[in-house]
Amino acid sequence: MKIMHAALLYDENGKSLGEKYGSYRKVTVNSSLVTINGMQYYKLSDRDAYIKATNISGRGRVLKRNAYVYATSKRRADYTVLRKGTTITTYGGSYKFKNGKRYKRYYRVAGATATNKRYVKVVNFK
């Protein structure tokens, strides 16, 4: 599977191992999810470490308003409009880009690749 959001590695108690895997890295994980302290994790098959499931398989979020897809904090990826009420898969936590004097947060969304970044603003989700 491919990691879609930079991910920390955790032990079986949910504590960080201090290691980080970058985005778009392919890893081999066990197909079943493991619950540790109420959070879902995938176990790496080649070592005794865990990655949060939202960094790999994502989470479906419903748009509360129409939204654009961005490639950077200022440039739209394309001119399509994501319509209110649709469910979009987001990966990991939000990113913070610097937009002049204001900071806005974005989620990485499905369809992103290493060369084709895709983000939607957090304020567009419920």
Side-chain angles (χ1 to χ4, degrees):
M1 298 181 100
K2 189 185 294 185
I3 297 174
M4 295 299 293
H5 189 283
L8 290 173
L9 297 182
Y10 298 90
D11 65 8
E12 61 275 355
N13 299 319
K15 296 190 180 190
S16 174
L17 295 175
E19 293 181 56
K20 183 177 177 181
Y21 281 180
S23 300
Y24 310 112
R25 177 179 176 165
K26 290 190 179 197
V27 293
T28 306
V29 296
N30 296 342
S31 60
S32 60
L33 290 171
V34 177
T35 303
I36 302 171
N37 298 331
M39 297 290 295
Q40 298 286 323
Y41 294 86
Y42 282 110
K43 184 180 184 311
L44 295 176
S45 59
D46 58 345
R47 59 186 289 196
D48 193 27
Y50 299 84
I51 295 177
K52 285 188 180 179
T54 58
N55 293 329
I56 295 176
S57 57
R59 175 181 170 198
R61 297 178 194 267
V62 179
L63 287 170
K64 69 178 179 181
R65 61 179 67 139
N66 293 345
Y68 295 112
V69 177
Y70 292 88
T72 65
S73 63
K74 296 179 182 178
R75 186 174 61 85
R76 291 206 327 229
D78 52 31
Y79 291 100
T80 58
V81 176
L82 302 175
R83 297 293 175 188
K84 174 172 84 171
T86 59
T87 302
I88 307 296
T89 302
T90 63
Y91 297 96
S94 62
Y95 288 93
K96 184 165 54 169
F97 298 124
K98 187 174 182 181
N99 279 353
K101 295 180 182 175
R102 295 177 53 187
Y103 289 92
K104 297 183 182 179
R105 295 196 171 271
Y106 297 82
Y107 283 123
R108 180 171 284 159
V109 295
T113 63
T115 57
N116 182 23
K117 309 284 198 246
R118 296 173 60 85
Y119 303 96
V120 174
K121 290 180 183 176
V122 169
V123 297
N124 294 320
F125 294 99
K126 290 183 180 178

